[in-house]
């Protein structure tokens, strides 16, 4: 009898354990499939782009943001350079408010401009989600940052005396992510990634995986590239890889090489259920992603078509989608004679088969050049905006499709003209590709946010009319006033929405409050100003 009772107790225990195990397996499987929300974006790109909205206006206008070498870096076009000496450059890389981040002037000088830009863009990204960056101190927020060339060390030979002690941390790849975590007090993983041109999409993939494993609650993912010297131009020109006129011509018969560019960008990721619970805006959903390597291909830096097909199919499997359920692809599209045909053939073999509507194909590199470690993020930000607006901008410099591709092998249409998003009866979806000369390939699939989650909401903040401004100093407050004046002069946004956005920003010691554009104009002229503590 005792043995029977013992056996029954044991069976009950085993049954309970089995139930708990099955429940945990279901939770883990659900976590692996958990949609990841993009809740904020921020960026800097050529053409004076300082916000995602700026980037959208640039591509919709069909702006060519390629310019001659910058005049403030001491560059000259080297003799024998086969290109025009042009590229996509940032104009404000020397501008950095070191005091805002508690950094001394000497340390700031020793910091690679990539570190400086990413600190600013990280702060802006968090504020655009309606999050006070200071409120994340001590949280398990992760930072996954792409970085490529660290050529700023060569410039530091001319640095002021006394900055030598900061040279190591100012130019180490690991510190690119580590400095953000340190400055904001973030205690999730801080990871710097370098897979060459696929870097920022690899960072996005790693950040999403960390969120699904609950290793972090929020994750910044992105990358930056700033060319402190013309080394990138010289090295790639020696390989015959640069366009003679400095323009990327993706998938065009006129394609003759790439055009180097610069940029910095972050997106803020959060599990979709958490974003909704926390009242954060959902700009788009990351449905799936994949990363792989070319392996032993036909050359160390040569693209590999079969590997590109595999990474696309793995991303689709991760998203649990068929190729025909994706409407468009933001291509890597560097404009090289070798790379573009290989990429096009991979897209025709995967996305181009068994579909009623053709895949729509374009590349932002035709506007701003190849921004290297920030290139994937440029594509992501462009396509999130495109899904929101229901329109796909045209790709520049695309008069005649390259004859090196059999375009009849699949249903793929190049975006030579601005195109309204096709009506499909389901959410809009896009793929974004990046392929690195390291051999690491990345592909992500994004989906339109539900209608109620599209940008333009207040992130859970009650609508307000006052416009609240603040800064760490009186000069910073004046700079905020000037930027807001510029913004309101060129926007049709409702005053209540502007007030709601400003209300989510961090509040500093010097403050001002206005209630309409006229009062703001008075602030900008110095006619009206509040005290440091009370505002108006």
């Amino acid at each position: 009898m005792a043995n029977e009772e013992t056996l029954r107790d044991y069976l009950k225990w085993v049954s309970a354990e089995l139930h708990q195990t099955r429940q945990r397996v279901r939770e883990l499987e659900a976590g692996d499939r958990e949609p990841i929300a993009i809740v904020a974006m921020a960026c800097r790109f050529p053409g004076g782009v300082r916000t995602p909205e700026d980037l959208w206006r640039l591509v919709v206008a069909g702006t060519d943001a390629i310019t001659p070498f910058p005049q403030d870096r001491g560059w000259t076009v080297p003799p024998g350079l086969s290109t025009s000496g042009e590229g996509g450059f940032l104009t404000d890389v020397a501008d950095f408010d070191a005091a805002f981040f508690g950094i001394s002037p000497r340390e700031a000088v020793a910091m690679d401009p990539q570190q400086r830009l990413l600190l600013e863009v990280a702060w802006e990204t968090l504020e655009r989600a309606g999050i006070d960056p200071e409120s994340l101190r001590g949280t398990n927020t992760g930072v996954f940052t792409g970085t490529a060339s660290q050529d700023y060390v060569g410039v530091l030979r001319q640095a002021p005396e006394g900055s030598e002690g900061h040279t190591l941390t100012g130019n180490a790849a690991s510190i690119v992510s580590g400095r953000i975590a340190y400055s904001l007090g973030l205690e999730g993983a801080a990871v710097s990634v370098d897979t060459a041109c696929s870097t920022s999409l690899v960072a996005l993939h790693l950040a999403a995986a960390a969120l699904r494993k609950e290793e972090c609650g929020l994750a910044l993912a992105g990358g930056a590239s700033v060319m402190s010297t013309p080394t990138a131009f010289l090295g790639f020109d020696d390989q015959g890889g640069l366009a003679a006129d400095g323009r990327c011509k993706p998938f065009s018969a006129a394609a003759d090489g790439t055009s180097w560019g610069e940029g910095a960008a972050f997106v803020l990721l959060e599990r979709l259920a958490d974003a909704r619970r926390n009242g954060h805006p959902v700009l788009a959903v990351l449905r799936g992603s994949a990363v792989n390597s070319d392996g032993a291909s036909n050359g160390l830096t040569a693209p590999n078509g079969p590997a590109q097909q595999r990474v696309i199919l793995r991303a689709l499997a991760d998203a649990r989608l068929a190729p025909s359920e994706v409407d468009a692809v933001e291509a890597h599209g560097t404009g090289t004679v070798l790379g573009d045909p290989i990429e096009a053939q991979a897209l025709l073999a995967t996305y181009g088969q068994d579909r009623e509507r053709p895949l729509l194909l374009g590349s932002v590199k035709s506007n701003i050049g190849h921004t290297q470690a920030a290139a994937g993020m440029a594509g992501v930000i462009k396509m999130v905006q495109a899904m929101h607006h229901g329109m796909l901008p045209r790709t520049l410099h695309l008069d005649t499709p390259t004859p090196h591709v059999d375009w009849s092998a699949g249903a793929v249409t190049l975006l030579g003209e601005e195109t309204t998003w096709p009506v499909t009866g389901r959410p809009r979806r896009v793929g974004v590709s990046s392929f690195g000369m390291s051999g690491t390939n990345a592909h992500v699939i994004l989906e339109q946010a539900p209608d109620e989650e599209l940008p333009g909401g207040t992130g859970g903040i009650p609508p307000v009319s006052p416009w609240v401004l603040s800064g760490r100093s009186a000069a910073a407050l004046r700079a905020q006033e000037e930027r807001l004046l510029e913004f309101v002069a060129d926007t049709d946004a409702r005053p209540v929405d502007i007030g709601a956005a400003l209300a989510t920003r961090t509040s500093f010691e010097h403050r001002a409050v206005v209630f309409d554009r006229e009062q703001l104009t008075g602030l900008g002229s110095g006619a009206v100003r509040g005290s440091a503590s009370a505002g108006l």
Side-chain angles (χ1 to χ4, degrees):
M1 192 69 171
N3 289 339
E4 290 180 2
E5 291 180 359
T6 300
L7 180 59
R8 281 196 297 269
D9 290 342
Y10 177 73
L11 289 174
K12 290 178 181 178
W13 176 80
V14 170
S15 297
E17 284 290 305
L18 182 59
H19 175 76
Q20 292 176 5
T21 300
R22 286 174 175 167
Q23 179 65 24
R24 182 56 180 157
V25 168
R26 284 193 292 268
E27 290 173 357
L28 291 172
E29 289 176 344
D32 288 341
R33 295 194 295 268
E34 172 77 22
I36 301 299
I38 297 176
V39 299
M41 308 183 295
C43 62
R44 303 276 197 282
F45 285 113
V49 170
R50 296 186 62 85
T51 67
E53 294 77 18
D54 286 346
L55 181 62
W56 179 246
R57 285 190 285 270
L58 181 142
V59 296
V60 168
T63 301
D64 179 343
I66 303 304
T67 61
F69 280 177
Q71 298 297 308
D72 60 350
R73 304 187 197 182
W75 293 12
T76 57
V77 179
L81 190 71
S82 64
T83 72
S84 60
E86 296 189 330
F89 299 102
L90 299 176
T91 58
D92 55 358
V93 292
D95 298 336
F96 178 61
D97 190 348
F100 181 88
F101 294 100
I103 296 172
S104 71
R106 286 181 177 177
E107 184 173 7
V109 168
M111 290 168 57
D112 189 307
Q114 294 171 139
Q115 291 189 24
R116 304 179 209 152
L117 279 170
L118 285 172
L119 271 175
E120 294 178 342
V121 175
W123 186 282
E124 291 176 12
T125 305
L126 295 170
E127 284 199 329
R128 288 175 70 95
I131 297 171
D132 179 353
E134 297 287 0
S135 71
L136 296 180
R137 193 167 297 274
T139 66
N140 68 337
T141 301
V143 183
F144 298 81
T145 305
T147 178
S149 169
Q150 268 77 46
D151 61 352
Y152 186 62
V153 174
V155 179
L156 286 177
R157 297 191 188 98
Q158 306 169 12
E161 185 178 348
S163 60
E164 299 87 349
H166 301 293
T167 300
L168 176 61
T169 53
N171 294 270
S174 61
I175 302 298
V176 175
S177 58
R179 189 181 292 276
I180 295 169
Y182 171 78
S183 297
L184 303 182
L186 310 179
E187 297 182 3
V191 180
S192 296
V193 181
D194 182 2
T195 60
C197 305
S198 58
T199 289
S200 58
L201 285 196
V202 173
L204 183 67
H205 174 78
L206 295 175
L211 284 165
R212 290 192 175 109
K213 292 179 180 178
E214 299 186 1
E215 295 173 352
C216 53
L218 290 165
L220 287 160
S225 283
V226 175
M227 295 174 285
S228 298
T229 71
T231 301
F233 287 89
L234 299 173
F236 215 61
D237 186 55
D238 287 343
Q239 299 181 29
L242 291 181
D245 61 357
R247 269 75 181 167
C248 286
K249 310 171 190 68
F251 308 110
S252 171
D256 59 346
T258 198
S259 170
W260 289 136
E262 302 175 323
F266 269 129
V267 297
L268 183 64
L269 304 178
E270 188 174 22
R271 290 180 291 273
L272 181 58
D274 291 344
R276 287 172 169 159
R277 183 172 58 254
N278 294 329
H280 295 152
V282 178
L283 310 183
V285 174
L286 175 63
R287 276 292 299 265
S289 62
V291 170
N292 74 356
S293 174
D294 288 342
S297 60
N298 63 340
L300 175 62
T301 61
N304 184 316
Q308 292 182 18
Q309 293 183 40
R310 288 193 295 271
V311 80
I312 289 169
L313 293 175
R314 287 178 183 173
L316 284 165
D318 187 51
R320 290 168 174 77
L321 293 172
S324 61
E325 294 178 285
V326 175
D327 307 311
V329 163
E330 172 67 17
H332 190 52
T334 57
T336 58
V337 178
L338 175 64
D340 277 10
I342 290 174
E343 181 177 8
Q345 288 157 7
L347 291 166
L348 286 162
T350 52
Y351 282 113
Q353 306 303 308
D354 302 319
R355 58 188 305 134
E356 295 180 5
R357 295 181 179 85
L359 179 83
L360 301 172
L361 181 63
S363 175
V364 71
K365 291 182 181 66
S366 69
N367 301 93
I368 60 176
H370 186 347
T371 54
Q372 305 169 75
M377 280 300 108
V380 166
I381 292 173
K382 169 192 168 184
M383 297 311 280
V384 169
Q385 295 277 25
M387 287 191 292
H388 171 48
H389 290 280
M391 191 267 284
L392 291 153
R394 70 185 180 98
T395 299
L396 306 186
H397 319 304
L398 183 57
D399 298 326
T400 305
T402 174
H404 302 298
V405 174
D406 179 7
W407 294 102
S408 67
V412 173
T413 297
L414 294 171
L415 286 163
E417 298 294 337
E418 180 180 300
T419 302
T420 301
W421 207 289
V423 178
T424 63
R426 53 166 172 73
R428 297 165 185 155
R429 298 190 184 107
V430 300
V432 182
S433 288
S434 283
F435 310 121
M437 69 174 183
S438 64
T440 299
N441 309 305
H443 190 76
V444 305
I445 296 173
L446 306 174
E447 183 175 280
Q448 173 189 13
D451 289 343
E452 65 272 16
E453 301 287 2
L454 285 173
T458 61
I461 303 299
V464 293
S465 294
W467 294 354
V468 182
L469 294 167
S470 72
R472 291 195 190 276
S473 65
L477 179 59
R478 285 193 294 273
Q480 291 293 330
E481 294 160 5
E482 292 168 2
R483 289 188 63 185
L484 184 57
L485 270 170
E486 292 176 3
F487 174 78
V488 299
D490 190 34
T491 185
D492 56 0
R494 298 183 307 164
V496 67
D497 292 332
I498 296 173
L502 290 170
T504 66
R505 304 188 70 178
T506 309
S507 182
F508 297 111
E509 304 92 307
H510 295 261
R511 305 171 193 168
V513 179
V514 296
F515 292 88
D516 53 39
R517 286 174 169 81
E518 287 70 27
Q519 278 193 330
L520 180 62
T521 303
L523 270 180
S525 65
V528 185
R529 184 169 303 281
S531 70
S533 59
L536 295 178

